[in-house]
Structure formats: C-alpha cells, structure tokens
Amino acid sequence: MSDTTLIDCRGLACPMPLLKAKLGFSTLAPGGSLTLLADDPGADRDIPTWAARVGAACRVDHGDQLLTFTIGKPF
C-alpha cells in the first residue's frame, strides 16, 4: 500500500506551490504519492516541469479554477 499526502496550496502565489511540492515530495517514501491543490496559474507550468526533472510521475486535473496535481515518487 502506498503512502499519500495532501498539500493544500489554495490562495498561495508562485513560488509557494512549487516549494511546498518539493518539500512534500522529499518526505515521501519510494512508491508514495502526494496530491497538491493549487489555484495559482503558474503552478500549471512549474510543477509538471519540476516533476519531469526529478523523474516523478505527475498528473494534472484542471477543475473550475482549481488545479489538482497527483505526483508519484518512483520506487
């Protein structure tokens, strides 16, 4: 069973969603995942770019003014 962490970044401007994603990711066990909620439009570009750099899986769901990122740490 994998570990899941929720990080709520609604109302936070760039670069805080990215910084919180990095911090949360660093505490995950291999195979764990985090879900990050953000409403800053810059996060839609920043977080997937960072995830690709660190080799993490990243899925983005675009809701009504809310971005939901699911980021998985590789084993």
Side-chain angles (χ1 to χ4, degrees), residues 24-70:
F25 186 79
S26 72
T27 66
L28 289 178
S33 65
L34 66 85
T35 299
L36 186 137
L37 307 174
D39 52 9
D40 176 44
D44 195 22
R45 177 191 63 249
D46 296 343
I47 292 175
T49 300
W50 161 78
R53 281 190 201 140
V54 298
C58 181
R59 187 181 81 230
V60 184
D61 294 319
H62 297 85
D64 185 29
Q65 298 180 355
L66 180 66
L67 301 166
T68 303
F69 299 91
T70 305

